[in-house]
Amino acid sequence: MLKRNDARADKSNFVGKTVPRENARRLSQGRGRYVDDIAFRNLAHVAFVRSPHAHARILSIDTQAARAVPGVIDVITGQDIRSMCQPWVGVLGHFPGLKSAEQYPLAVDVARWHGEPVAVVLAESRALAEDGADLIEVEWEALPSVVDPETALESDAHVIHPELGDNLAFRLDLEKGEVDAAFASAAHIAEGTFHFGRHTGLTLEPRSIVADFDPALRQLTVHHSTQTPFQMQDVFARHFGLEEGSVRVIAPDVGGSFGLKLHVYGEEMAACALSIRHGRPVKFIADRLEAFQTDIHARDHRVKARMAVSAEGEILAMEVDDLTGIGPFSVYPRTSAVEGNQAIRLMGGPYRMPSYRGRLQVVFQNKTPMCQYRAVGHPVACAVTEGLVDQAAHALGIDPLEMRRRNVVTQDMYPHTSPTGYVFERLSHEECHARLAEMMNYERLRREQAEARERGVYRGIGFATFIEITNPGPAFYGVGGARISAQDGCVMKMEPSGDIRVMVSVTEQGQGTETIMAQIAATHLGVPLERVRVYTGDTQTSPYGGATWASRGAGIGGVAVMKTAEALKENLLTVAATILQAQPGELDISAGAVVSRASGEERMPLSELGRIAYFRPDTLPAGFHAELTAARHYVPQGYPFAFTNGVQASHLEVDIETGQVRLLDHWVVEDCGRIINPLLVDEQIRGGVVQGLGGALFEECLYSPEGQLLCGTMADYLTPMAAEMPDIHVGHVETPTETSPLGAKGVGEAGTAAAPAAVMNAINDALSPFGASVSRMPFTPERVLRALGKV
Amino acid sequence: MDSVFPITLTLNGRTVTHDAPQRMTLADFLRQTVGLTATHIGCEHGVCGACTVYVDGRIARGCLMFAIQAEGCDIRTLEGLADDERMQALQKHFHARNALQCGFCTSGMLLTAHQYLGSQEEPSREEAREYLSGNYCRCTGYQAIVEATLAASDELAAKAGCKDEEAGRAEA
Ligand code: FES
Ligand code: FES
């Protein structure tokens, strides 16, 4: 009997199993439904007139010729849009001193970056809207531009927002321990300046929206390629003066997001404004040039840093000075201070280092706005820390992996607080390092490297230990006044067929959210996976919640689903007990049927329970009401956020004649707590690593000294392609978090966090016989040759 | 307003006639005029591969061709390969191996992989990576795509092997 019980239970346990995504089947047949695939009647389209200058005053805009184009419906300038939309300012209360200026969907008097929209044409087709936009004459007065962050704070720098006084958007100073004493007593000081070029998310589906206003109901329905439907519902309601309940945001299939699709963009706001004005659906799909000019950019840091170490290789202190350029505005509503804030707080995070001094300066400049993108701040902190660790190890003659082993926070130290105030519940650095050394066969690789060097082949091995912030609670945005939900919710119902429908507030952009939620629901209810369907991404039908960002889907949304499943199960057992005249405690649900808890014997399939509860409640005792739907919400408590950890290693070859870097292999050992679906976790890691490799080797949004964006096509913005990418080997250590009953942390950003650091260290290892090194990302062949003194 | 021209072409095995504005690309024509949305648009300048379709038996970029240039052509999109054995094997393994996340690159990737397997008897990992290098994927990191393509190839080879054997037996 017991055996049979186990077999049944096993059939209902899907957590931890590799389950392919149902969505992937649909998408692989070309049956996706992205915003641009949805048909609307009476659809109108927008095209924008954009600033050709990095910084210029708008003297006049002549829209007459555009209005005369047949098919053009309307033309709106920045001046016009002021009466159509409340402005916004990208500041939050928990970043004291953070400043930014008021923004409208279109630049009003002054355009502050190359590509900023200044006018919009509404027409019967996108082509006609573009025809109209071509005929708009703008008279400009060019203003001096601030391009390089290094010059933004100079006394003679042009102040981008005169009313703000200077170009300093935000400054933060952190100090802990005896920093000066540590540097005074150090056996060695490693030191360097690290540059992180601008890159961008480059979702393959560009930003897309169809806003559809019904004047009779004053109801705005927005189909939007977004990660955060509820946040956008709130934004649209407040800025267009609508009732929150009169705004419905639907995120259909979303073609990649990576943190790019949760910010407020002028183009989307203008599309809504025009739909409200004309009472018809309005579509905006960014073309690729518009994407490069207006999708948020990422990084743009210059970090000067040093690290004090003892003769035994113990890290005593770090001192860090981070200067980061965010474009002319702090982006709304999450602000552009978060990236720098995380960068300087994550420095040295994996290590026991007792003393730390960090300074962050966030400056305005005339480039595309910079804001949160996958692994916010992490790659910067990781590369600076790991770069200095390698330098110190090299100087002291300690093997780099050994150097890390000597310094990581060890098992006996948890819970541990970093000098920047991060609290780690429990991480697994030692185990991850051991696992990595074994997976990559480290010793053999070193021997092969030495042999290759004899032959004039320069290979390098680079490590990067990392921590990653996941499962953020209200400390992230809510405490600062942002109306961004920290909690997530789930509604679950059993239908007459016994099938389970799950509505959850976390969203899907390809990570596999819906599959993971189905696995959790099926497991905790005791039903076959194929009986569960999950729905996300519609503010009208999903419970309210924060949705998917900062790797919070599984760790927060997953718990909401788990708790809802437990509640629904209890309800169903009560119904079953009433029907069967048993005690609920004597029953259980397994493989889609009510069973006897003791024997595992089937008592009634859920479809029978459904039939009776929905269609024949007259057969149940008077006064009994079957509860067939349950709802629960969850917010993490105790810790402000969770941390995952791990280590990456890169193996590569540098051609010292051409400066080309060839990636040979890449390893990741990570610990995201309880793994819900190993297949999906591994693919999140791989995708994340490749985005990190892109930032390290290829991707850069280049500007002329005057602030002209030089990469407007995918041909001149290089991204990783299949042939250049290595195989990525993924290993796991599982340390469940006790703060969440599900034990899962997030995994979306770990790959991106440490891949650039591992590559940098590997290149520098390869170049070490020449005494050369690189620290300016991306590491293009030219930069490698420069380091070698060849150009 | 644009001048509009009637065009007649073979689309997924059927002859169709539609009006197309002069400046409309083949990709837009498929998506907007015909309503077949498996073909995606990621760049409109011939780099990303999301718009890949078969034109007269060879893959081409639907965004680099005007619809009116497709007059008389034989166009096949992912929708038109639903019953194709090689495509079904690829789709099966893309699904099983999670070789897609957001799915936006997938149609183009599948068509490129389809042509690759059709042109190569013994595909290799390296060569597959090279062949697929004209198609961007921002989500997966490519490894799963390469592995799914090779797995589909193995399955097709095994099936072909069985058929050969059967044929051999029948002769004997
Ligand atoms: S849309 Fe045609 S290649 Fe990108
Ligand atoms: S799956 Fe998203 S671009 Fe390939």
Side-chain angles (χ1 to χ4, degrees):
Chain A
M1 259 316 159
L2 246 186
K3 244 196 186 144
R4 185 171 154 194
N5 235 340
D6 286 352
R8 255 190 176 282
D10 195 52
K11 262 200 220 148
S12 302
N13 184 13
F14 304 99
V15 169
K17 301 241 167 79
T18 279
V19 178
R21 295 157 51 219
E22 264 317 294
N23 271 340
R25 192 195 305 280
R26 182 173 61 83
L27 297 173
S28 74
Q29 291 173 11
R31 302 241 158 236
R33 195 164 167 272
Y34 305 88
V35 170
D36 195 33
D37 298 340
I38 305 170
F40 292 85
R41 285 181 197 281
N42 200 27
L43 184 64
H45 302 256
V46 288
F48 291 86
V49 178
R50 299 180 179 281
S51 172
H53 300 283
H55 198 190
R57 189 176 309 284
I58 303 164
L59 299 178
S60 67
I61 302 182
D62 183 352
T63 62
Q64 224 175 347
R67 287 179 193 278
V69 173
V72 167
I73 303 159
D74 199 358
V75 181
I76 295 290
T77 67
Q79 288 295 351
D80 305 327
I81 213 157
R82 294 175 64 178
S83 60
M84 300 163 63
C85 172
Q86 289 295 318
W88 58 87
V89 184
V91 297
L92 286 173
H94 60 321
F95 295 114
L98 170 63
K99 58 195 189 196
S100 189
E102 217 172 63
Q103 263 181 290
Y104 285 93
L106 305 169
V108 176
D109 298 314
V110 176
R112 295 182 178 83
W113 83 84
H114 176 205
E116 183 173 9
V118 299
V120 55
V121 177
L122 183 73
E124 299 295 344
S125 74
R126 167 81 187 202
L128 293 170
E130 287 179 11
D131 289 348
D134 278 349
L135 295 174
I136 290 181
E137 294 281 349
V138 185
E139 205 185 332
W140 298 98
E141 177 198 331
L143 297 171
S145 52
V146 179
V147 180
D148 183 353
E150 302 259 13
T151 63
L153 298 178
E154 283 170 4
S155 56
D156 59 346
H158 191 88
V159 176
I160 295 176
H161 303 288
E163 72 276 19
L164 299 180
D166 57 26
N167 290 326
L168 183 65
F170 182 60
R171 182 185 167 127
L172 180 64
D173 290 277
L174 302 173
E175 172 114 24
K176 177 84 181 178
E178 307 292 327
V179 179
D180 293 326
F183 277 97
S185 69
H188 177 77
I189 296 175
E191 194 156 5
T193 301
F194 301 82
H195 287 92
F196 300 84
R198 276 187 166 229
H199 46 264
T200 185
L202 200 99
T203 54
L204 203 56
E205 179 208 29
R207 281 171 27 232
S208 307
I209 194 169
V210 176
D212 187 3
F213 185 69
D214 177 342
L217 297 172
R218 285 196 63 71
Q219 160 93 32
L220 179 67
T221 304
V222 183
H223 285 80
H224 192 184
S225 178
T226 180
Q227 297 168 243
T228 50
F230 290 98
Q231 175 201 298
M232 294 315 299
Q233 177 193 34
D234 172 69
V235 165
F236 295 143
R238 279 188 296 115
H239 291 273
F240 295 110
L242 301 168
E243 296 286 326
E244 188 173 271
S246 300
V247 177
R248 177 182 183 186
V249 179
I250 301 165
D253 286 321
V254 173
S257 53
F258 320 124
L260 188 152
K261 291 177 179 170
L262 46 65
H263 308 291
V264 170
Y265 294 95
E267 289 83 358
E268 280 86 328
M269 297 298 275
C272 291
L274 282 164
S275 176
I276 293 170
R277 184 172 156 104
H278 290 273
R280 60 189 283 191
V282 172
K283 180 189 275 196
F284 168 68
I285 310 284
D287 68 23
R288 198 44 72 182
L289 173 60
E290 291 178 298
F292 280 115
Q293 287 181 322
T294 63
D295 287 357
I296 54 105
H297 290 178
R299 322 301 179 218
D300 203 352
H301 293 251
R302 181 236 55 200
V303 185
K304 290 184 182 161
R306 48 191 206 132
M307 178 183 275
V309 288
S310 73
E312 294 73 40
E314 191 189 349
I315 301 171
L316 306 172
M318 273 179 85
E319 189 176 13
V320 168
D321 179 1
D322 181 6
L323 175 72
T324 172
I326 58 166
F329 296 98
S330 166
V331 175
Y332 185 69
R334 295 178 181 238
T335 86
S336 302
V338 177
E339 159 93 3
N341 180 57
Q342 286 192 182
I344 67 160
R345 287 183 193 271
L346 286 162
M347 295 278 175
Y351 303 116
R352 289 195 299 272
M353 171 182 85
S355 301
Y356 178 72
R357 179 181 293 143
R359 181 169 79 153
L360 169 68
Q361 293 182 100
V362 177
V363 299
F364 295 122
Q365 62 189 156
N366 295 111
K367 290 184 180 175
T368 296
M370 189 284 291
C371 204
Q372 284 84 302
Y373 160 62
R374 196 174 198 172
V376 185
H378 290 68
V380 175
C382 186
V384 170
T385 305
E386 296 300 298
L388 293 178
V389 166
D390 262 25
Q391 273 187 36
H394 191 75
L396 297 172
I398 303 173
D399 174 85
L401 197 52
E402 172 58 21
M403 176 83 179
R404 287 170 171 83
R405 279 193 201 112
R406 286 186 196 176
N407 280 287
V408 289
V409 179
T410 51
Q411 282 310 310
D412 51 323
M413 294 171 71
Y414 294 106
H416 177 76
T417 305
S418 81
T420 63
Y422 284 150
V423 186
F424 308 125
E425 176 198 9
R426 179 162 300 279
L427 303 176
S428 56
H429 294 302
E430 304 112 292
E431 219 181 316
C432 288
H433 284 151
R435 194 68 226 289
L436 178 78
E438 180 191 299
M439 264 171 73
M440 66 191 288
N441 208 335
Y442 182 45
E443 279 161 33
R444 194 185 70 200
L445 220 53
R446 279 285 181 218
R447 282 199 302 276
E448 287 173 6
Q449 177 188 33
E451 285 160 20
R453 230 171 243 183
E454 308 264 296
R455 290 182 276 119
V457 172
Y458 296 92
R459 294 204 176 135
I461 302 165
F463 295 102
T465 309
F466 66 89
I467 55 173
E468 182 210 350
I469 298 178
T470 73
N471 295 5
F476 242 57
Y477 293 110
V479 298
R483 293 172 64 85
I484 298 170
S485 173
Q487 65 78 49
D488 275 288
C490 174
V491 173
M492 202 176 289
K493 60 176 177 177
M494 192 195 80
E495 301 195 326
S497 58
D499 285 2
I500 305 298
R501 299 285 181 258
V502 182
M503 277 70 68
V504 63
S505 58
V506 289
T507 50
E508 170 80 84
Q509 298 93 35
Q511 307 89 329
T513 308
E514 294 178 1
T515 302
I516 284 173
M517 298 306 147
Q519 288 176 265
I520 295 168
T523 302
H524 288 273
L525 268 170
V527 301
L529 192 59
E530 61 275 11
R531 307 302 293 274
V532 180
R533 276 199 204 155
V534 179
Y535 302 88
T536 63
D538 182 344
T539 58
Q540 191 155 297
T541 55
S542 320
Y544 202 95
T548 303
W549 44 272
S551 304
R552 65 196 294 289
I556 301 178
V559 181
V561 171
M562 177 184 129
K563 288 184 168 291
T564 315
E566 287 169 352
L568 182 60
K569 181 173 181 179
E570 208 181 302
N571 291 354
L572 297 178
L573 289 177
T574 305
V575 180
T578 307
I579 296 170
L580 297 167
Q581 296 181 347
Q583 292 300 316
E586 297 165 13
L587 303 171
D588 199 356
I589 301 175
S590 182
V594 177
V595 299
S596 152
R597 187 176 286 277
S599 67
E601 191 187 336
E602 179 169 324
R603 302 290 302 276
M604 175 195 327
L606 285 178
S607 55
E608 178 61 5
L609 188 154
R611 186 188 68 80
I612 296 170
Y614 282 103
F615 308 126
R616 295 304 309 276
D618 58 305
T619 63
L620 300 177
F624 178 79
H625 295 276
E627 298 294 345
L628 302 160
T629 299
R632 288 291 183 274
H633 291 260
Y634 180 75
V635 66
Q637 288 169 346
Y639 290 82
F641 14 84
F643 282 90
T644 73
N645 70 281
V647 60
Q648 298 195 19
S650 166
H651 184 216
L652 51 74
E653 190 172 302
V654 180
D655 183 327
I656 56 157
E657 299 307 324
T658 65
Q660 290 275 0
V661 173
R662 191 158 69 93
L663 301 170
L664 301 171
D665 260 314
H666 198 99
W667 295 269
V668 182
V669 178
E670 67 75 55
D671 183 346
C672 62
R674 162 104 21 91
I675 292 175
I676 298 165
N677 187 328
L679 174 70
L680 303 189
V681 162
D682 285 4
E683 292 314 314
Q684 275 297 302
I685 295 278
R686 290 198 175 98
V689 164
V690 166
Q691 278 186 13
L693 296 175
L697 293 170
F698 309 112
E699 297 179 37
E700 190 165 25
C701 300
L702 290 166
Y703 283 85
S704 76
E706 298 76 33
Q708 291 286 318
L709 180 67
L710 300 177
C711 55
T713 73
M714 280 167 92
D716 37 40
Y717 180 89
L718 297 182
T719 50
M721 301 301 289
E724 292 98 49
M725 287 300 105
D727 280 342
I728 297 160
H729 315 279
V730 185
H732 303 281
V733 171
E734 281 187 74
T735 309
T737 169
E738 282 157 23
T739 58
S740 148
L742 192 59
K745 309 181 203 174
V747 72
E749 303 170 277
T752 312
V759 165
M760 179 180 74
N761 284 345
I763 294 174
N764 290 337
D765 184 41
L767 297 183
S768 62
F770 306 95
S773 73
V774 290
S775 60
R776 183 184 282 271
M777 291 185 199
F779 306 117
T780 58
E782 184 194 332
R783 285 176 183 159
V784 172
L785 290 180
R786 250 178 228 295
L788 286 164
K790 297 202 173 181
V791 289
Chain B
M1 278 289 181
D2 292 328
S3 8
V4 168
F5 294 86
I7 54 168
T8 299
L9 62 153
T10 307
L11 177 56
N12 295 333
R14 284 177 198 218
T15 307
V16 296
T17 302
H18 283 283
D19 285 340
Q22 192 177 4
R23 58 176 160 174
M24 180 179 251
T25 66
L26 175 62
D28 280 341
F29 173 80
L30 293 169
R31 293 176 49 78
Q32 294 169 15
T33 308
V34 187
L36 293 179
T37 56
T39 306
H40 294 155
I41 294 178
C43 70
E44 295 176 278
H45 49 247
V47 182
C48 76
C51 63
T52 303
V53 293
Y54 274 110
V55 178
D56 293 336
R58 293 189 55 181
I59 56 167
R61 313 244 137 162
C63 72
L64 287 188
M65 234 176 114
F66 288 114
I68 54 176
Q69 290 176 289
E71 168 73 36
C73 288
D74 179 9
I75 307 289
R76 200 164 278 274
T77 67
L78 184 64
E79 288 99 336
L81 289 162
D83 297 327
D84 178 273
E85 189 189 10
R86 201 185 325 142
M87 185 54 84
Q88 285 175 347
L90 281 163
Q91 285 167 325
K92 175 176 143 194
H93 288 280
F94 267 55
H95 172 241
R97 181 64 189 77
N98 205 48
L100 58 138
Q101 291 182 25
C102 80
F104 205 77
C105 68
T106 309
S107 306
M109 207 56 101
L110 282 167
L111 263 81
T112 307
H114 185 261
Q115 174 167 287
Y116 173 54
L117 294 191
S119 67
Q120 179 50 272
E121 299 245 307
E122 281 176 43
S124 73
R125 209 175 169 86
E126 223 113 289
E127 203 185 67
R129 276 193 181 274
E130 199 63 54
Y131 205 97
L132 295 168
S133 262
N135 291 67
Y136 279 65
C137 175
R138 197 56 171 161
C139 300
T140 63
Y142 301 107
Q143 187 171 334
I145 294 175
V146 171
E147 286 168 2
T149 303
L150 296 176
S153 164
D154 286 348
E155 183 185 309
L156 290 163
K159 268 194 199 157
C162 285
K163 274 187 203 145
D164 288 353
E165 238 170 71
E166 267 167 37
R169 266 202 302 275
E171 269 162 38

